Amino acid sequence: MTMPFAPDPTESAFACFDAGDLSGAEDAFRAILAMEPGQADALHGMACLARVRGQSGMAIALVGRALQKPAVSSDRKARMHMTLGLALSEQGHLEAARAALHVSVLLQPADPRAHTALAEVCVGLGRRGQAREALQKAAALLADESNVRTRIGELFLDDGLVELAVGEFRWVVRHRPRDGAALANLGAALFAGNAFDEAHGVLVQACEFGAGTAETLNSLGLVEMARGELAAAVETLRRALELRPLDARIANNLGTILMEIGREDDAATLFRTIMGRETGEEAERARFNRATILLGQGQFAEGWQDFESRRTILGLVSENPQWNGSAGEDPVAIVREQGLGDEVQFLRFLQQAARLRPLRLRFRTAELAGLMPGLDQDRILPPEGPVAAEINLLSLPNVLGLGEMPSAEPYLAVRETPEADRVGVCWSGNPSYRFDRRRSVPVGCLEILRQVSGARFVALQPGDAPDWMERVSLKTPLDLAREVGLCALVISVDTLVAHMAGALGRPLWLLNREGGDWRWKDVDWYRDVHQFRPPAGADVSKGWTVVLQEVAVALTLRGQEPEGS
């Protein structure tokens, strides 16, 4: 009579472990070790229990003893090395963890768990390409690869590879079309890629399928903001903050939109709360946001000081010591930061800085300094050469201790004289700016200007332009300055061209989005600016249509004014 095989006690013990019966598993492993001290699989089981209980140091010691035992099969060694690698990772020994998991993969290449564990260690080591490769190998071994593909998408998104992230999340959604979390991931990636309309639909669907989390609502609120649906964005972000009241990121986003719709007191209260409760990047972001409120209101002494928080947010690193505003003859480098419009706006502060130190200008619009009559050109040195310190151009007001409203008088001058009928037009900014859709005017809205008689319209931006506009060469900032100098009037959205017109003293009709930037609030940075804004809450395209109709009427009336009036 053939006797049935007795069940393997280690398999029964691991079955208890896998089922979550940790006490039963421990009793079984200890019973094995009582009968056979040093039994490798039981030692490994105790190591697994130690890891689950947060005792990763003990797990390393136990699995190390197990690996020293002879006659352990390759597949069992692979699992032991996986446990060792995970425990080493938990202890912060990432390189040793990577080595252990690499051995596990070599011993058992068909186990997806080893590949996914190796991927996470590679992420910790900054080897993100290797992490993605390991995850792709894991995905190929799984019947349902959705979770692994989701992780690959997250890595792509973190690395700024938005299109690749979208591709991974789309794959997951195709296989899990009613999975709210999968839809939320796709919506967030679409938002990162500025595909706002599709992102909106996907995120709404994610909420319908049970993923109306604070994170999803935060993404949806930002999408609504980008689409110009500011009232809806406020309510969506308020709901997100109710779900997660201590989330400083959501609070900062809500405060930003409250600023946009003119509720600056409410926004400032939010920012002060964050600053009082948080440390790190979100606190600095709140400080920066509050600084823009202060600067927009003309509270410069405190505003410029808090404006420095942007350095932390942007991760600005200096090659040289920071200039403290002291006088002397050792040169100081003025370095670049942010957009070209910012540079032109802050050029005015070079005049005072040059009185204190010789300057080496190391930013993109530095050649415009030659157009500044009030700047002592002898104090401007070649950009290359030794310096005692450096300062970001946008930090000059703070380091110079400026607390008064800046002069609105022009500070750039060109030889060109305005031509009475020449109207320069700039209708779009940098499309990579996340909220450019609200800032830029759809080119079709400009058609109404064509009906205005007595005006020559010149495109003050590179690229395609309506065929009824003149095109000019705009290869350098100097080219733009000369072309703006020839204009009797400049019509522009909030971008470099607007600041160039203001700096040159040319009349500027600013096509400003609802809310608008702090630079165009209560402080007159330039002397001859008239703002046109869309109606509050209007659809972006319809709002700009209304604005251009108003501009066309104003242009017609302007053309009817007696010369010299």
Side-chain angles (χ1 to χ4, degrees):
M1 179 178 178
T2 304
M3 296 295 293
F5 289 107
D8 184 341
T10 58
E11 288 186 5
S12 299
F14 273 111
C16 287
F17 177 82
D18 292 338
D21 181 7
L22 302 188
S23 296
E26 182 175 0
D27 289 344
F29 287 131
R30 289 191 182 279
I32 295 168
L33 290 170
M35 292 186 295
E36 186 181 349
Q39 203 270 356
D41 290 321
L43 287 171
H44 179 215
M46 293 299 291
C48 293
L49 284 166
R51 268 200 66 237
V52 169
R53 291 165 174 165
Q55 301 167 327
S56 53
M58 182 181 293
I60 293 169
L62 288 166
V63 79
R65 287 175 55 194
L67 285 167
Q68 292 173 5
K69 300 300 177 182
V72 178
S73 64
S74 293
D75 61 329
R76 290 155 64 201
K77 278 186 178 180
R79 292 194 291 273
M80 292 176 187
H81 274 96
M82 191 188 313
T83 301
L84 176 60
L86 292 168
L88 286 165
S89 175
E90 290 159 0
Q91 288 279 296
H93 307 305
L94 296 184
E95 187 54 51
R98 187 203 62 78
L101 291 166
H102 181 65
V103 172
S104 179
V105 167
L106 291 176
L107 291 173
Q108 190 62 275
D111 189 341
R113 297 172 299 174
H115 293 287
T116 55
L118 178 59
E120 294 308 320
V121 170
C122 287
V123 169
L125 289 167
R127 303 178 184 179
R128 301 177 73 84
Q130 293 179 24
R132 292 194 295 267
E133 289 177 9
L135 288 169
Q136 286 162 351
K137 290 176 182 176
L141 295 167
L142 289 164
D144 181 0
E145 54 192 279
S146 299
N147 291 337
V148 174
R149 296 288 288 264
T150 295
R151 184 64 179 128
I152 295 171
E154 291 170 349
L155 292 180
F156 277 138
L157 193 58
D158 289 344
D159 293 341
L161 303 172
V162 176
E163 290 186 11
L164 295 174
V166 168
E168 294 296 326
F169 294 139
R170 282 196 196 282
W171 187 98
V172 177
V173 167
R174 282 197 300 271
H175 290 77
R176 297 181 177 180
R178 300 178 67 83
D179 186 324
L183 287 160
N185 287 331
L186 176 58
L190 290 166
F191 169 65
N194 293 348
F196 303 125
D197 293 336
E198 185 181 1
H200 184 269
V202 169
L203 290 167
V204 168
Q205 196 175 16
C207 293
E208 291 172 352
F209 287 134
T213 63
E215 191 66 34
T216 303
L217 291 171
N218 181 62
S219 296
L220 179 58
L222 292 174
V223 167
E224 289 169 337
M225 182 179 179
R227 282 161 51 101
E229 300 161 353
L230 301 188
V234 168
E235 291 309 309
T236 299
L237 286 170
R238 195 183 301 283
R239 286 164 52 206
L241 195 59
E242 288 172 355
L243 292 174
R244 201 185 291 170
L246 299 181
D247 192 316
R249 185 170 50 103
I250 296 173
N252 263 319
N253 290 336
L254 175 57
T256 300
I257 300 180
L258 290 172
M259 281 196 301
E260 289 279 320
I261 63 174
R263 293 172 57 181
E264 293 181 339
D265 290 344
D266 292 339
T269 298
L270 266 178
F271 298 143
R272 283 194 297 269
T273 300
I274 297 168
M275 291 162 58
R277 187 181 66 211
E278 301 287 331
T279 59
E281 184 174 338
E282 287 303 327
E284 292 303 295
R285 186 176 163 214
R287 182 169 285 106
F288 172 79
N289 287 334
R290 181 170 171 268
T292 63
I293 294 176
L294 295 172
L295 293 173
Q297 295 172 342
Q299 300 182 54
F300 293 110
E302 187 177 359
W304 289 131
Q305 185 175 358
D306 283 355
F307 193 61
E308 289 302 289
S309 57
R310 76 193 188 285
R311 292 182 55 83
T312 301
I313 299 168
L314 297 172
L316 299 179
V317 178
S318 301
E319 296 181 3
N320 300 288
Q322 286 288 290
W323 183 41
N324 61 7
S326 61
E329 291 305 310
D330 293 327
V332 168
I334 311 296
V335 298
R336 61 175 286 181
E337 180 193 336
Q338 300 196 50
L340 296 176
D342 299 295
E343 291 187 6
V344 171
Q345 179 190 4
F346 281 74
L347 280 175
R348 69 187 77 214
F349 301 115
L350 292 179
Q351 299 180 37
Q352 184 169 339
R355 296 188 195 108
L356 299 171
R357 292 291 188 108
L359 306 178
R360 298 191 188 276
L361 308 184
R362 297 174 179 172
F363 50 90
R364 293 158 297 178
T365 60
E367 59 187 347
L368 294 174
L371 304 180
M372 298 181 69
L375 178 64
D376 184 350
Q377 298 295 328
D378 291 336
R379 303 285 282 177
I380 306 302
L381 306 180
E384 300 304 321
V387 296
E390 70 178 53
I391 194 74
N392 289 76
L393 179 61
L394 273 63
S395 291
L396 282 178
N398 181 59
V399 79
L400 293 172
L402 302 181
E404 300 299 320
M405 183 177 296
S407 171
E409 291 302 305
Y411 48 90
L412 298 182
V414 291
R415 296 177 181 176
E416 287 75 11
T417 57
E419 299 171 2
D421 61 345
R422 194 178 205 258
V423 178
V425 183
C426 175
W427 59 93
S428 64
N430 187 339
S432 65
Y433 173 54
R434 174 155 290 172
F435 300 110
D436 185 66
R437 174 169 172 172
R438 292 178 50 223
R439 171 181 63 174
S440 293
V441 176
V443 68
C445 294
L446 302 176
E447 186 66 23
I448 193 171
L449 299 183
R450 191 175 186 177
Q451 303 170 16
V452 177
S453 60
R456 290 169 43 222
F457 293 102
V458 178
L460 293 180
Q461 62 182 60
D464 295 335
D467 57 10
W468 46 273
M469 283 191 189
E470 297 179 24
R471 295 172 177 80
V472 292
S473 175
L474 297 170
K475 294 180 180 179
T476 69
L478 283 177
D479 290 337
L480 177 61
R482 295 188 190 103
E483 295 298 336
V484 169
L486 289 168
C487 293
L489 172 68
V490 172
I491 301 171
S492 177
V493 296
D494 178 12
T495 188
L496 166 64
V497 171
H499 290 286
M500 186 71 80
L504 287 163
R506 295 296 183 263
L508 169 65
W509 288 4
L510 181 70
L511 311 180
N512 204 359
R513 70 179 190 270
E514 181 184 355
D517 194 73
W518 62 271
R519 294 162 175 83
W520 311 104
K521 296 286 186 179
D522 299 335
V523 176
D524 293 327
W525 285 83
Y526 308 107
R527 70 180 184 188
D528 195 354
V529 180
H530 180 70
Q531 297 194 39
F532 294 81
R533 293 177 184 267
D539 171 81
V540 171
S541 181
K542 291 180 181 177
W544 285 126
T545 298
V546 171
V547 165
L548 267 296
Q549 289 171 345
E550 294 174 355
V551 169
V553 171
L555 273 175
T556 301
L557 294 174
R558 182 177 181 275
Q560 295 171 357
E561 292 176 355
E563 202 169 318
S565 62

